[in-house]
Amino acid sequence: MLLRQLEYLVALARARHFAKAAQACFVSQPALSEGIRKLEEELGIPLVQRGRRFDGFTPEGERVVLWAQRILADRDAMRGEIQALRAGLSGRLRIGTVPTASTAVALLTQPFCAANPLATVQVFADLQAEDIVNRLRTYELDAAVTYHSSVAAHDFKFVPLYRERYVLLTQRSAPDSGAEISWEEAAQYPLCLLHPMMQGRQVLDAVFETVGVSVTPRVETDSIASLFAQVRAGQWASIVPHAWLHVFGVPGGMRAVPLVRPVRTERIGLVLPAREPVSVIGQALIDVVARAGIAATLERLPHQAPGDDTPFGVQG
């Protein structure tokens, strides 16, 4: 069995098209088809459902694709470790994140690049939780930042980063709710929220359900930055993760009020494929987490000095 044949199979799994897979591997379509056919002969099983076009994989083929993805990922990890031993860590870190947690990724990339000047980073910042699971499984991501609840059922390595909690973001001209506000009271505001298919929105819906209220937002979006923009431009209020105040602060003319009764938090962490040993690039990222102090940093507003415990509260 040649690694090249496994590369052909994985390329076909990604492209779902013989010609496009061949193009991705820089070979002719007949060469790719012949390589996969020889792999089938060696394994003694059909891998591809063949027709006039690609019709998918056989059940055995689906399992072999998973093994091929892992074997190739281990090959790349071995190459990376050897290169790191010779000249320092190089290569590209591919890290994904759900939109609500992209602030934490920004706090990891800078120290990672500083510690590994030969490495580069590619961030996928708008993934849904399900996309992250699938890409980690197929080794299309080296790591991700997401909710523990979305990966708890999977055999991944989880490194805690911080606990996400929530604030009501409103215009200062809105009725003053005081230093904090209950979820039931927040439901009475004209809300702009994340799209219901997003994990961050599903967390909010679950809290509203526990207090016995339902919300029907007038505006929905797939972007945290868009939530801030909507509150700025219109009559809307929104519920945003507190970590985003570290990026934007509390914009002028707005207030951010902690949500209580209940105080809901969600575990956010760094997630890596479960394999031993951990890839050298994955271990380098874990080492950064140990030094970065993500949770403490996300508690501060922009330009707020470490040790300053002034609450973000009602201001702007």
Side-chain angles (χ1 to χ4, degrees), residues 27 99 129 218 268 276 278:
V27 298
R218 295 287 303 278
I268 303 291
E276 293 296 339
V278 176

Side-chain angles (χ1 to χ4, degrees), residues 168 177 180-189 259-261:
L168 179 73
S177 59
E180 58 186 28
I181 187 172
S182 71
W183 289 82
E184 187 172 1
E185 292 168 332
Q188 307 306 312
Y189 283 75
L259 279 154
V260 296
R261 301 193 298 278

Side-chain angles (χ1 to χ4, degrees), residues 15-242:
R16 317 298 290 186
H17 190 280
F18 281 103
K20 292 179 180 178
Q23 185 179 17
C25 293
F26 302 101
V27 298
S28 66
Q29 183 173 334
L32 181 133
S33 297
E34 179 64 12
I36 293 177
R37 186 188 65 77
K38 288 182 177 178
L39 182 60
E40 291 176 317
E41 286 183 357
E42 183 169 349
L43 295 175
I45 53 174
L47 302 176
V48 179
Q49 297 177 2
R50 287 183 171 83
R52 298 182 64 181
R53 58 184 180 179
F54 176 73
D55 293 325
F57 293 100
T58 64
E60 298 87 348
E62 294 284 357
R63 294 298 301 170
V64 173
V65 167
L66 292 176
W67 277 104
Q69 289 167 334
R70 177 163 188 167
I71 290 168
L72 294 175
D74 286 343
R75 186 255 337 248
D76 294 340
M78 180 186 68
R79 286 177 173 172
E81 185 165 343
I82 292 171
Q83 174 63 27
L85 290 172
R86 287 178 175 174
L89 180 64
S90 61
R92 174 174 291 179
L93 168 66
R94 301 163 301 170
I95 183 168
T97 176
V98 289
T100 50
S102 57
T103 51
V105 174
L107 297 177
L108 293 175
T109 52
Q110 191 279 330
F112 175 85
C113 290
N116 304 283
L118 299 179
T120 60
V121 179
Q122 187 174 23
V123 178
F124 301 89
D126 292 313
L127 299 181
Q128 293 189 13
E130 183 179 356
D131 296 329
I132 285 176
V133 169
N134 291 334
R135 294 196 189 195
L136 287 171
R137 276 179 172 172
T138 57
Y139 300 96
E140 295 177 69
L141 290 176
D142 300 300
V145 177
T146 188
Y147 295 90
H148 178 264
S149 59
S150 69
V151 297
H154 304 278
D155 188 23
F156 295 137
K157 183 177 182 63
F158 183 85
V159 182
L161 294 178
Y162 66 99
R163 282 192 171 271
E164 179 177 275
R165 64 179 193 278
Y166 308 95
V167 299
L168 179 73
L169 189 68
T170 69
Q171 291 275 3
R172 286 188 65 87
S173 58
D176 191 344
S177 59
E180 58 186 28
I181 187 172
S182 71
W183 289 82
E184 187 172 1
E185 292 168 332
Q188 307 306 312
Y189 283 75
L191 291 174
C192 169
L193 299 177
L194 291 175
H195 190 278
M197 292 300 294
M198 300 177 70
Q199 182 80 9
R201 168 65 183 280
Q202 292 166 13
V203 170
L204 305 186
D205 287 345
V207 182
F208 281 122
E209 184 176 354
T210 63
V211 298
V213 299
S214 62
V215 294
T216 305
R218 295 287 303 278
V219 180
E220 294 175 330
T221 178
D222 62 356
S223 164
I224 299 292
S226 178
L227 295 178
F228 277 79
Q230 292 290 339
V231 175
R232 163 74 72 187
Q235 61 178 332
W236 318 117
S238 188
I239 297 173
V240 300
H242 82 284

